[in-house]
């Protein structure tokens, strides 16, 4: 996997590809040049080690001992001034330890690369660069996460402060409402005590007035009771008399009903006899009606025949009359025609004789002229 690294001096991206870089083989002249550069750097690191105070030189074990001693000193010092001095000394010691560790690390790295460059390779240098780049990225990621967490913490703190302010406002408002309610309750208690006294007096007065009214109503109701009892006794007497009267009426009506029933039976028998007589008379009348209807049909047939004969006679008479009228009209018409013919013949004869006379006269006139 290739990785991109930005150079701080040139601001250019450097692409790191471990698979390719580890397999690179440098030429000999470049390796000698690089070896001389790394040896010069090692000499400069030795000069830096000489510059560092003697107390901070040594191996990593010595640095661990120094850090333990500094921690013990920090625990043992209780005064504030001494603690501040110890903290500054600890910071200085830690910085020097870091410098010493980095110098030792670079010294060992350069020595390894020199040994590898003798074989025309530099794998350890590439690996250390990639590892340091990964460490740096991890450190950046942790810093970014810490910044995000701090921003989120600030937002939450701001929200918490707002919520606290709102809660305080709500509590103040509720306390005010509670105080108002307490005041109203106290006023109500004072009012209820005075109202209770007034109500007791009022109830006593109402009770006395109601008792007087009830006594008056009771006396009036007792009088009504006596009157109603008298009315009930009178009504009972009247009821008994009415019952006796109705019983007498009932006996009389029962007798009348018996008489009417007997009369009803007699009337029914009479009516049945009358019905039988009427039925016999009806049978006789039906027989007479049938005979009369037969006679009527016969007479009606005869009358119909007479009517038809009379109609035929009338029709013949009308035909004869029409024939006579037609014959007379024909005769008159023929006579007129005959007369007209005779008159035409006479006129034609007269005309012919006149024409002949005229012709003779004309001949004479013509001869005289000649």
């Amino acid at each position: 996997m290739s990785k991109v690294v930005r150079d701080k001096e040139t601001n250019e991206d450097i692409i790191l590809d471990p698979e390719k870089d580890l397999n690179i083989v440098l030429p000999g002249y470049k390796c000698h040049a690089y070896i001389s550069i790394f040896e010069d750097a090692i000499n400069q690191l030795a000069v830096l080690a000489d510059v560092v105070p003697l107390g901070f030189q040594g191996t990593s074990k010595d640095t661990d001992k120094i850090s333990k001693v500094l921690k013990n000193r920090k625990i043992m010092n209780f005064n504030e001034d001494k603690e501040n001095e110890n903290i500054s000394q600890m910071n200085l010691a830690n910085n020097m330890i870091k410098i010493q560790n980095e110098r030792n690390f670079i010294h060992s790295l350069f020595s390894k690369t020199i040994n590898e460059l003798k074989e025309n390779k530099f794998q350890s240098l590439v690996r250390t660069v990639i590892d340091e780049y990964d460490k740096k990225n991890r450190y950046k990621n942790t810093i970014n996460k810490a910044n995000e967490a701090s921003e989120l913490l600030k937002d939450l703190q701001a929200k918490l402060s707002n919520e606290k302010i709102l809660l305080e406002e709500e509590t103040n408002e509720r306390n005010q409402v509670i105080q108002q309610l307490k005041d109203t309750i106290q006023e109500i208690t004072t009012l209820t005590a005075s109202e209770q006294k007034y109500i007791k007096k009022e109830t006593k007065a109402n009770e006395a007035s109601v008792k007087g009214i009830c006594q008056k109503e009771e006396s009036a109701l007792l009088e009504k009771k006596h009157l109603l009892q008298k009315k009930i006794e009178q009504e009972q007497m009247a009821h008994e008399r009415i019952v006796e009267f109705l019983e007498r009426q009932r006996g009389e009506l029962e007798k009348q009903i018996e008489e009417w029933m007997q009369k009803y039976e007699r009337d029914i028998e009479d009516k049945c006899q009358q019905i039988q007589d009427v039925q016999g008379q009806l049978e006789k009348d039906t027989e007479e009606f049938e005979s009369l209807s037969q006679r009527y049909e016969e007479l009606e047939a005869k009358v119909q025949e007479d009517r038809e004969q009379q109609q035929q006679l009338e029709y013949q008479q009308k035909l004869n009359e029409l024939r006579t009228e037609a014959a007379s009209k024909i005769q008159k018409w023929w006579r007129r025609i005959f007369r007209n013919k005779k008159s035409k013949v006479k006129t034609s004869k007269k005309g012919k004789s006149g024409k002949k006379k005229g012709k003779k006269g004309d001949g004479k006139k013509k001869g005289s002229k000649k």
Side-chain angles (χ1 to χ4, degrees):
M1 295 295 289
S2 61
K3 296 180 181 179
V4 179
V5 180
R6 184 175 289 277
D7 192 358
K8 293 181 179 179
E9 294 179 356
T10 60
N11 289 323
E12 293 179 355
D13 293 332
I14 299 168
I15 298 168
L16 297 176
D17 193 354
E19 293 179 357
K20 292 181 180 179
D21 293 336
L22 291 171
N23 295 318
I24 291 170
V25 178
L26 295 172
Y29 66 93
K30 284 187 178 181
C31 290
H32 291 295
Y34 292 149
I35 287 165
S36 62
I37 291 164
F38 284 124
E39 286 177 352
D40 189 9
I42 288 166
N43 292 322
Q44 289 179 3
L45 290 171
V47 171
L48 183 63
D50 293 332
V51 172
V52 174
L54 295 171
F56 296 105
Q57 292 179 0
T59 61
S60 62
K61 291 181 180 180
D62 295 331
T63 56
D64 293 331
K65 289 179 181 179
I66 291 163
S67 63
K68 287 179 181 179
V69 169
L70 291 171
K71 287 179 181 178
N72 291 321
R73 285 181 182 178
K74 184 179 178 181
I75 293 165
M76 293 298 290
N77 291 321
F78 295 103
N79 295 321
E80 291 180 356
D81 296 331
K82 289 181 180 181
E83 284 180 358
N84 292 322
E85 290 177 359
N86 289 323
I87 288 164
S88 63
Q89 289 177 2
M90 284 174 68
N91 290 324
L92 181 62
N94 288 322
N95 291 324
M96 295 304 292
I97 289 163
K98 286 179 182 179
I99 291 165
Q100 187 67 24
N101 289 326
E102 288 177 358
R103 189 185 65 76
N104 291 324
F105 176 72
I106 291 166
H107 188 275
S108 63
L109 178 63
F110 285 173
S111 62
K112 285 180 183 179
T113 52
I114 288 165
N115 292 322
E116 288 177 354
L117 286 169
K118 289 177 182 180
E119 295 176 358
N120 297 327
K121 293 180 181 180
F122 55 98
Q123 292 178 355
S124 60
L125 183 63
V126 172
R127 286 174 183 169
T128 52
V129 169
I130 291 165
D131 293 334
E132 290 295 326
Y133 176 73
D134 291 333
K135 288 179 183 179
K136 189 176 181 181
N137 286 328
R138 288 173 190 169
Y139 181 68
K140 284 182 180 179
N141 290 324
T142 53
I143 289 166
N144 291 323
K145 288 180 181 179
N147 291 324
E148 290 176 357
S150 63
E151 288 177 357
L152 195 142
L153 182 64
K154 288 178 182 178
D155 293 332
L156 292 172
Q157 286 176 353
K159 289 180 181 179
L160 184 63
S161 63
N162 292 324
E163 290 292 330
K164 285 181 179 179
I165 291 162
L166 292 171
L167 183 63
E168 288 177 357
E169 290 177 355
E170 288 180 356
T171 51
N172 291 323
E173 289 177 356
R174 288 179 181 177
N175 290 324
Q176 289 177 1
V177 172
I178 290 162
Q179 189 64 36
Q180 289 176 0
L181 292 170
K182 285 180 180 179
D183 295 333
T184 52
I185 289 163
Q186 191 173 1
E187 290 176 357
I188 289 163
T189 51
T190 54
L191 290 170
T192 50
S194 61
E195 285 178 355
Q196 283 177 359
K197 291 178 181 178
Y198 176 74
I199 288 163
K200 285 179 181 179
K201 291 178 180 179
E202 190 175 2
T203 50
K204 286 180 180 179
N206 288 323
E207 188 177 358
S209 63
V210 168
K211 280 182 180 179
I213 292 164
C214 290
Q215 287 175 358
K216 289 179 181 178
E217 288 180 354
E218 188 177 0
S219 62
L221 290 170
L222 289 170
E223 289 178 357
K224 285 183 181 179
K225 183 180 177 182
H226 291 300
L227 292 170
L228 290 170
Q229 284 178 354
K230 288 179 181 179
K231 286 182 180 180
I232 288 164
E233 290 175 357
Q234 290 175 0
E235 290 292 331
Q236 284 179 353
M237 293 291 289
H239 177 69
E240 289 175 356
R241 290 176 182 176
I242 289 164
V243 168
E244 290 176 357
F245 175 74
L246 291 172
E247 285 179 353
R248 287 196 299 273
Q249 289 290 111
R250 181 184 175 186
E252 292 177 357
L253 290 170
E254 285 177 353
K255 288 178 182 179
Q256 289 179 2
I257 287 164
E258 288 177 357
E259 291 176 357
W260 280 104
M261 289 296 290
Q262 291 175 1
K263 187 178 180 182
Y264 172 72
E265 290 175 355
R266 287 196 298 271
D267 291 335
I268 286 169
E269 289 176 356
D270 294 334
K271 294 294 180 184
C272 288
Q273 188 65 37
Q274 288 178 3
I275 288 163
Q276 289 177 0
D277 295 336
V278 169
Q279 286 178 354
Q281 188 67 35
L282 181 63
E283 289 176 356
K284 290 178 182 179
D285 292 334
T286 51
E287 289 176 357
E288 289 179 358
F289 177 74
E290 287 176 357
S291 62
L292 291 170
S293 62
Q294 288 177 358
R295 288 180 185 177
Y296 175 75
E297 288 176 357
E298 291 174 357
L299 291 170
E300 190 175 2
K302 288 179 181 181
V303 169
Q304 189 69 28
E305 289 176 358
D306 293 333
R307 284 178 183 174
E308 289 176 356
Q309 289 176 1
Q310 191 174 359
Q311 286 177 358
Q312 287 178 359
L313 291 171
E314 289 177 356
Y315 181 70
Q316 289 293 329
Q317 287 177 0
K318 286 180 180 180
L319 283 173
N320 291 324
E321 289 176 357
L322 290 170
R323 285 174 182 174
T324 54
E325 286 179 0
S328 62
K329 287 179 180 180
I330 290 164
Q331 287 175 2
K332 288 178 181 179
W333 176 71
W334 179 252
R335 286 173 185 172
R336 286 177 186 172
I337 291 167
F338 185 72
R339 287 174 185 172
N340 289 324
K341 283 182 178 181
K342 283 182 178 182
S343 62
K344 285 179 180 180
V345 170
K346 287 179 180 181
T347 53
S348 64
K349 286 180 178 181
K350 288 179 179 181
K352 287 179 180 180
S353 62
K355 286 179 180 179
K356 288 178 179 180
K357 289 178 178 180
K359 287 179 180 180
K360 289 178 179 181
D362 291 331
K364 289 178 178 181
K365 287 178 180 180
K366 287 178 181 179
S368 62
K369 285 179 180 180
K370 288 178 179 181

